[in-house]
Amino acid sequence: MKNFIILILIVFIHFSCNDSFEPVNPIPSERQKVWQEMEYYAFIHFNMNTFTNLEWGYGNESPSTFNPTELDTDQWARIIKESGMKGIVITAKHHDGFSLWPSNYTEHSVKNSPWKNGKGDLIKELQNSCEKFDLKLGIYLSPWDRNHSEYGTENYIKYFRNQLTELLTNYGEIFEVWFDGANGGSGFYGGADDIRKVDKKTYYDWPNTYSLIRKLQPNAVIFSDSGPDIRWVGNEKGYANKTTWSNIYRDSVYTGMVDYSKFSSGQENGTHYIPTETDVSIRPGWYYHPEQDDKVKSLEKLIDIYFNSVGLNSSLLLNIPVDTRGLIHENDAQRMIELHNYLKSTFKNNLITNSKISINKRKVSLKNVTDKDFNTFHALKSKEKNIITISFNKERPANIFEISENINLGQRVKAFNFEIKVNNKWQTIEKGTTIGSKRLIRFSNDNVQGLRISILDSKDVPLISELGLYSSN
Ligand code: FUL
């Protein structure tokens, strides 16, 4: 009898977390799934602009200007690791064209700088530091190059791909390749000093560049305004849309399009799965400016950004401008650690564990939705209304709710309501739309007796992978 019950239990558990459910297309690729679990990682803007105190260099800067005095990529990696981030995306080349590695295809690089007497390779140093601190390495390579004499011609595309090949061949595993939407305009262009406009849709021949990346780094995700793996969130403030579909009609967007932001919430019936990435700087500028040393964002602001990016079906790419010494400035480091301490203590105890959960009035097990494993899930019964009720035997002070869908089988939920029970009364906290990989909802601190999540509309049966209740105090 005992064995029989165990067998039934195994069958039940297997049924509620297996993949016998039909996917709702589009679904993420393996590389997107791996990336999606990273959630929070660092951008580093450090290059020629650090030394000229600019945001965009013209392309005529002398390599002799690049001269960090105490450059230490181990310091970056250590602080980033201690901040709970999972990787680093570095500006290997920004719009001014200066390359942080000794590229064989240009003289405009570290090899002609005083740093390490021209013998340095910053990308190599960063690769080693990332390996040492178990972080992933990503590359920002600006498609626009205001230094290169042939920018705007076919030859420049060859140059761009040659540089990409160097970066994707010589520095180990690259997790993300980042392409900026800012393209074409005035520049030095090898002394021509003119304005070069390019057709953003056709000039770069992106499909062939993407194939090259797939060949050299099959696990890397490619970021641009339009994907193909990750798309821009549509602003640089750190805020994703409340409604965020990871689906988009890929042909409706292209890199550098002017009115891109109108597509930033995605499209419910979009043909491709291309989730958003939220990029924002910890300071007003992307690059280091000494006059911004006291303008590092407050802890409250960074927490707000976290909830509005990671908590809105997006990822957070937080930029740290490394300073002229070649170090993360003390003020930034302190704030990064403060944010980490907040996140660590807040999300330590899921207050839902050891409570009673029923779905449409039937008692169910909490196992799959509180195991912090996005691959296990509980399938609801219908694609219309489902009510998940969680009741506590003793009220629990709380102010954060978390819910995730199993996105491996496609994003589904279109509308939900979230309520809490306080003083024996139900209060509506959020009338929401999409959920996706993670939805975090904050409310004012209260003694919560129960939670009610009504999934009101969904493309197919909702697959709930995580539920959480937390207190940030
Ligand atoms: C923008 C660039 O023009 C900025 O300089 C910065 O690199 C930011 C992340 O992307 O489009």
Side-chain angles (χ1 to χ4, degrees), residues 85 116 128-129 151 184 210 232 459 461-462:
M85 296 162 150
K116 298 204 159 169
N128 293 339
S129 301
Y151 181 77
Y210 298 158
W232 188 38
K459 288 183 161 185
V461 289

Side-chain angles (χ1 to χ4, degrees), residues 8 32 95 114 169 190 215-216 220 265 384 390 404-405 450:
I8 295 286
Q32 286 173 317
H95 310 327
T169 312
K215 194 176 93 199
L216 299 173
S265 57
E384 276 99 40
I390 298 172
S404 298
E405 281 186 77

Side-chain angles (χ1 to χ4, degrees), residues 377-445:
F377 57 83
H378 189 94
L380 301 185
K381 286 279 171 284
S382 95
K383 54 183 196 170
E384 276 99 40
K385 196 161 174 175
N386 289 281
I387 302 181
I388 307 172
T389 313
I390 298 172
S391 33
F392 306 128
N393 46 10
K394 218 171 110 227
E395 51 188 32
R396 300 173 184 193
N399 58 359
I400 296 163
F401 172 66
E402 174 193 337
I403 182 165
S404 298
E405 281 186 77
N406 177 275
I407 47 95
N408 296 352
L409 293 170
Q411 193 182 345
R412 298 167 179 230
V413 175
K414 298 199 240 179
F416 70 95
N417 266 358
F418 169 61
E419 298 160 279
I420 57 173
K421 193 176 180 184
V422 177
N423 290 332
N424 296 320
K425 273 206 202 102
W426 286 106
Q427 309 173 1
T428 301
I429 299 293
E430 180 95 11
K431 285 179 189 293
T433 51
T434 52
I435 294 177
S437 63
K438 192 178 270 188
R439 183 72 202 262
L440 295 169
I441 295 168
R442 284 187 291 177
F443 49 94
S444 54
N445 208 11

Side-chain angles (χ1 to χ4, degrees), residues 43 45 55-56 91 94-95 140 178 180-182 236 279 286-287:
F43 217 171
H45 274 66
E55 280 292 310
W56 280 14
T91 49
H94 203 250
H95 310 327
Y140 169 119
W178 213 98
D180 207 303
E236 294 180 338
D279 62 326
W286 291 102
Y287 279 95

Side-chain angles (χ1 to χ4, degrees), residues 369-380:
V369 292
T370 53
D371 60 0
K372 292 201 187 292
D373 180 349
F374 292 111
N375 297 308
T376 60
F377 57 83
H378 189 94
L380 301 185

Side-chain angles (χ1 to χ4, degrees), residues 118-132:
K119 299 276 175 293
D121 181 343
L122 203 145
I123 305 299
K124 191 42 94 183
E125 292 198 11
L126 188 56
Q127 178 202 351
N128 293 339
S129 301
C130 283
E131 280 166 11
K132 188 159 156 193

